Amino acid sequence: MTRRQFLKWALWAGTAGFVFQYGLMATELTRGGRSVGRTTGAPRVAVPTVCRLCPARCGILAFLEDGVVVKIEGNPKDPNARGGICPKGLSGVQLLFQPDRLLRPLRRAGPRGSARWQAISWDEAVSELASRLIEIRNNDAQQFVFLSGPASQRPDALTQRFLQAFGGPTVSEARLLRVANRAYALSLTWGADSYVPDLAQTKYILNFGANPYESHEMYVPLIRRLIEGRRGGAKLVTFDPRLSRTAGRSDEWFPLRSGTDAAVALAMANVITQLGLYDREFLEKHSNWPMDALAEHLRPYTPESAERFSGVAAGHIRRIAVEFATTHPALLLTGGGLSQRANGLQNERAVFLLAALTGNVERRGGLCLPRRYELADPEPRPSGAINPLPPQELFVQISLGETSPQLLWIDRANPAFEQPQPHMVQEILKDENKIPFLVVSDSFQTETAQLADLLLPAATFLESWELHSPPAYDLVPYVALQQPVISPWGEARPIPEVLLELAKQMGVEVGRFLPFGSMREYVEKQAQAIPELSAEGGLEHLTEVGIWAPAGHPDYGRDFSTDSKRLEIFSSVLALRKQPALPVYLAVTEHEQLGQDEFLLSVFDTAVQDDGVTPLLWWLMEIEHRNSLWINAEVAKRMRIHEGDWVEISSQVGRIRVRAFPTEGIHPQTVAIHGGLGHWGLGRLAQGGAFRSQDPNTSLIWWKEAGTHVQPLIPIRSDSAAGGQAWQDTVVRLVKVEEGSP
């Protein structure tokens, strides 16, 4: 039922005195996108849109009853998620009416960080911003610094367009904190910064450091196909120091020493090469490096040497290598446990080499290039440059005076909480000498927002327009529409709409590149640029169904987008930068010299909590409001640590206290904890404990914990080649906190 049909039906039903046949006995019906009120039996209106609580961009249906969003479900028309939805997406309805939402523009009225505010109008806020940006653009455009978020997502196309039209700003993307190393490794190797694993068609899955049964950037699309592949007989082998949910569901789990994945992968590559199990035809046609030279490079990486580094028996390494090379098709999965390291780029390239050697690239059941529509950027297009800077390096440079922002705009990111060494970041954000003017746009008063000079209320994804073409997991590209399901709450505005108004006030040099009356108009032009979609009704069609997915079949065998149009096993780019050009294992020195009570810290996400807004969703907080420290059971026994005991973890930059969780499911030299918890800002829900608000549920909160903030332990440290943060390389010491200790 379309909204137009619903309105006609409602008018007829009201006039005729129609009584819905289920009456008060009605239950919610959801087949085919139909739903009724839980008590009234009245039909609900289903508005299709896109979830933005993770990068997967799953199609969803927001159900409205009397103009209020009452629930969210998956859109059955989405070819990726196939109507599925994760706990985060299901809970997204709670963002709209969250009792601590930011609903009006605020200007600082006391010392920075004092939480004293003066409410102002949007006209005042935009006017002040425009005048400051004009002055900066006329003097030194690089002194405008823009940090985009959320941490899991790319900035939207119109925001990127505004930054290019401004010309020369310094731009940092919060998402690169997590994915920079892997993205750069893949771009160097085959010309795209990600891959699509053809899981449903594969027969063997070799997993290094990923946990798709619980958390993945393409969570629902990937796990559906992983389960399908497993039901079809695919074997799953996982290398991970921790018994994650994925490791627990694997056919084999190898708890290798943290950070030694590349040693194992290169030893496997050596075995495959020495036994002649590689795909000679594929490599001769698609590789840029001769096989005899690659074999010689791999010769030192024996299974025995890998065993010394990793602890994985040489016999297992040989056996898995042969199984992987002789099972067709086969593929690889990689995650943050592999790439979020100081040697992350080389780790990713080493594992990808296994797919190249066996020819499981751009083939059915292997790793495939992303299929998506390149959404057109309407004319006139700006050509101004931006100066990219990794987010963790941004604050280092500001502290050293190497970057001197006159205006720092942080859009829907929370560096005071989510960055490594957050105490240093907080001190920089408080310092008006280093950052004279701080603008934060967000939906909530995050830890970062509390330090702003100008605070702008951002609309949520359920109140905003955007067009998406996610990587298609059936390898046939499609388009998904994110549209407002209700008008923005209070005075909140979508930030792209604010940028359009800013561009107008900044004059023709910027405004001529953003001539759109609204974000809807911009999205409409993007849709019109796809002829087949335009022929089916363009944006109007998308507003009704949410998804445009033309019929088609996977076209395996696409060309690579590298300079050579081949798989660049040898990277000339890395060679020019004096970095290893062939995949290597780079041991981290301090990892080789751990003391008895020193461990490598592993930080992970779960199915319900991450570093975004999940602690604001009380369904999720009720499930998970404590993040205990995983510690090997034998180690805990030696240290006289029992489950629930308080332990203190310290690193070179900070210390925290947390409850212990002894388990046999972790390597003896690794401890692990999940992030996302431990907020002191963001909102009352994120801080634990009951409170009174317009939502009666908040007075029923029974848990008092809010978890532990992990980031204070993490030093700022980057992969020297790719610039990604080394989240998984922190060496920590661990002591039991005795009762009565301060």
Side-chain angles (χ1 to χ4, degrees), residues 89 158 457 650:
L158 195 136
S650 59

Side-chain angles (χ1 to χ4, degrees), residues 41-55:
R44 294 167 172 170
V45 179
V47 182
T49 188
V50 170
C51 178
R52 296 302 308 279
L53 290 173
C54 86

Side-chain angles (χ1 to χ4, degrees), residues 531-543:
E532 301 89 347
L533 172 57
S534 184
E536 292 194 31
L539 184 61
E540 289 302 318
H541 174 72
L542 284 172
T543 58

Side-chain angles (χ1 to χ4, degrees), residues 127-142:
S127 178
E128 180 172 3
L129 255 179
S131 63
R132 288 179 179 272
L133 289 174
I134 290 170
E135 182 179 357
I136 293 171
R137 190 172 186 273
N138 290 337
N139 294 324
D140 183 357
Q142 291 189 42

Side-chain angles (χ1 to χ4, degrees), residues 155-476:
D156 62 85
L158 195 136
T159 296
Q160 295 181 64
R161 186 183 182 99
F162 174 85
L163 295 169
Q164 285 184 300
F166 185 91
T170 300
V171 177
S172 191
E173 295 182 34
R175 72 180 185 92
L176 295 178
L177 277 171
R178 305 288 180 179
V179 303
N181 293 337
R182 181 179 63 181
Y184 191 48
L186 293 173
S187 296
L188 289 175
T189 305
W190 72 345
D193 65 0
S194 61
Y195 57 73
V196 171
D198 195 14
L199 285 157
Q201 313 299 328
T202 203
K203 295 301 177 185
Y204 203 103
I205 304 161
L206 198 53
N207 171 34
F208 285 90
N211 183 18
Y213 273 94
E214 187 170 18
S215 176
H216 191 273
E217 64 193 49
M218 296 296 293
Y219 182 37
V220 174
L222 186 141
I223 194 59
R224 280 184 169 272
R225 287 156 183 82
L226 174 55
I227 292 171
E228 189 175 338
R230 296 282 280 148
R231 287 174 175 168
K235 181 174 182 176
L236 174 60
V237 178
T238 292
F239 290 87
D240 195 318
R242 183 177 69 92
L243 184 61
S244 65
R245 293 187 186 275
T246 301
R249 290 176 176 267
S250 300
D251 295 288
E252 295 187 72
W253 166 53
F254 295 98
L256 80 174
R257 197 161 178 266
S258 183
T260 61
D261 308 69
V264 173
L266 291 171
M268 289 184 180
N270 186 26
V271 169
I272 292 168
T273 302
Q274 298 302 324
L275 295 179
L277 299 177
Y278 55 89
D279 189 327
R280 182 181 300 274
E281 180 182 355
F282 175 85
L283 291 168
E284 288 178 351
K285 183 177 181 181
H286 296 292
S287 167
N288 75 332
W289 199 244
M291 193 61 222
D292 56 345
L294 180 60
E296 191 61 30
H297 169 73
L298 292 171
R299 196 175 300 277
Y301 292 103
T302 64
E304 288 73 22
S305 69
E307 180 177 353
R308 287 195 298 274
F309 286 117
S310 69
V312 180
H316 287 314
I317 293 173
R318 283 194 176 87
R319 176 178 58 83
I320 298 299
V322 172
E323 287 181 5
F324 182 77
T326 57
T327 305
H328 302 288
L331 58 73
L332 301 152
L333 289 177
T334 60
L338 178 73
S339 61
Q340 292 173 1
R341 299 183 180 275
N343 56 4
L345 178 140
Q346 291 294 345
N347 291 350
E348 194 75 37
R349 279 173 53 80
V351 171
F352 192 93
L353 179 60
L354 292 172
L357 281 173
T358 56
N360 286 297
V361 178
E362 267 304 304
R363 288 185 177 176
R364 181 179 179 274
L367 294 184
C368 297
L369 289 161
R371 271 68 163 166
R372 58 165 71 94
Y373 281 96
E374 295 299 329
L375 300 175
D377 197 13
E379 296 285 355
R381 297 173 188 153
S383 57
I386 61 172
N387 300 292
L389 190 61
Q392 76 277 19
E393 296 298 327
L394 169 64
F395 290 97
V396 172
Q397 290 199 14
I398 293 175
S399 70
L400 297 174
E402 296 172 1
T403 294
S404 301
Q406 287 300 302
L407 188 152
L408 171 59
W409 186 339
I410 300 175
D411 179 35
R412 290 164 287 183
N414 188 12
F417 178 88
E418 68 198 12
Q419 291 253 169
Q421 290 184 231
H423 297 316
M424 183 198 78
V425 174
Q426 292 157 25
E427 290 305 311
I428 292 170
L429 292 174
K430 291 175 184 176
D431 191 336
E432 296 183 51
N433 293 318
K434 294 186 182 300
I435 303 174
F437 197 69
L438 176 60
V439 180
V440 176
S441 45
D442 212 308
S443 302
F444 305 94
Q445 283 202 35
T446 64
E447 288 81 1
T448 300
Q450 292 174 357
L451 303 173
D453 298 310
L454 184 62
L455 192 47
L456 306 179
T460 68
F461 69 91
L462 292 169
E463 302 159 318
S464 308
W465 291 94
E466 194 172 348
L467 199 63
H468 305 275
S469 185
Y473 266 59
D474 287 335
L475 302 176
V476 179

Side-chain angles (χ1 to χ4, degrees), residues 509-525:
E509 289 187 351
V510 176
R512 66 191 179 96
F513 294 113
L514 291 100
F516 319 104
S518 65
M519 188 61 179
R520 187 188 191 282
E521 180 184 332
Y522 179 74
V523 166
E524 186 170 25
K525 289 183 181 295

Side-chain angles (χ1 to χ4, degrees), residues 538-614:
L539 184 61
E540 289 302 318
H541 174 72
L542 284 172
T543 58
E544 295 292 346
V545 297
I547 305 286
W548 177 70
H553 300 283
D555 55 338
Y556 299 105
R558 286 194 172 187
D559 295 331
F560 307 117
S561 300
T562 56
D563 290 340
S564 65
K565 305 302 179 186
R566 289 171 171 260
L567 279 179
E568 303 232 343
I569 292 174
F570 179 93
S571 172
S572 56
V573 173
L574 291 177
L576 287 172
R577 296 177 56 188
K578 308 300 182 184
Q579 297 280 349
L582 290 170
V584 295
Y585 169 56
L586 299 175
V588 181
T589 304
E590 56 266 40
H591 292 188
E592 306 295 316
Q593 303 169 351
L594 292 180
Q596 185 179 34
D597 293 332
E598 289 186 326
F599 305 87
L600 297 176
L601 178 66
S602 173
V603 182
F604 60 95
D605 290 334
T606 72
V608 298
Q609 294 291 1
D610 57 31
D611 282 332
V613 297
T614 52

